[in-house]
Amino acid sequence: MTRQKSFKQRVRARMDKTGESYTAARAHLVGRDGEPPAPDPATAAPAAERPARSGAAIPPTTAAISSRVSDEALLRTTGRGYDQWFDLLDAWGATDRTHTEMAAWLVDEHGVGGWWAQTVTVAYEQARGLRVPGQKKDGFACSASRTVDVPAERVFAAVTEEAERGRWLPDHAFAVRTANAPKRLRADFEGGTRLAFEFTAKGPAKTTVAVEHSRLADADRAAEAKTMWRERLSRLKALLEQGPS
């Protein structure tokens, strides 16, 4: 019996005993044992021996993957880090599968939670050259954020109120779609693109404002938009922190 098979049996035994989900039971055992189970060597051939989809470069490390979730957090929650998941996906032949098939395989065969399965799948696609960083189903996206030393309500108003917004984001078409004050805002932007703002209170007088700009045409446009939002949010921060003009 391989170590991996033995570990799965212990996970399922704990599920039967406690009623926990596969992911929760797995995380408990990984934390208790101090290390995740190693992949079965019979099914995980070295990456260098596995063919990639035509035109897809396979880098030796995870340097190119999305930094949305750290390797430590992934290991702690799922029992494996990026490299271990990538090895399993390679052995399964994931470079010839669709995004949906990969995510479903992680959920069904390995008990990975849906959100974490998507995280691993997107990172794998980026690392294997199947997806450009920032690329989504409806185009490309970028994000930027700043922490401002004012309450969340004040930052929210500076984004939602047209007169206030004109001080730091002039000459841009902006139409609010939905708003949940003072936490989040969705808006239509110029060129058929979309904006999603999140406002996170860090204290009574400190707020992090983050924006995701999506439905962009290509990676170059996303890079330009990222630079623009960094500049505009810095302007917003300066205006709010200097007080009323």
Side-chain angles (χ1 to χ4, degrees), residues 3 19 28 72 85 103 106 124 152 169-170 175 185:
R3 181 185 179 192
H28 176 88
E72 291 77 10
W85 282 119
L106 290 169
Y124 178 82
L169 188 66
L185 167 75

Side-chain angles (χ1 to χ4, degrees), residues 57-99:
I58 298 183
T61 71
T62 59
I65 66 174
S66 167
S67 60
R68 177 171 58 175
V69 176
S70 69
D71 193 70
E72 291 77 10
L74 183 67
L75 175 63
R76 183 171 60 251
T77 304
T78 69
R80 289 186 174 89
Y82 285 109
D83 284 331
Q84 290 173 301
W85 282 119
F86 291 178
D87 282 345
L88 286 178
L89 284 162
D90 282 337
W92 179 61
T95 54
D96 293 320
R97 310 277 184 159
T98 67
H99 175 95

Side-chain angles (χ1 to χ4, degrees), residues 145-180:
S145 66
R146 288 291 183 271
T147 298
V148 188
D149 291 334
V150 297
E153 291 80 4
R154 182 72 185 91
V155 185
F156 187 85
V159 175
T160 55
E161 296 177 11
E162 186 174 356
E164 287 279 315
R165 190 170 61 247
R167 299 174 62 205
W168 62 274
L169 188 66
D171 304 321
H172 287 283
F174 188 113
V176 175
R177 294 173 59 86
T178 61
N180 180 9

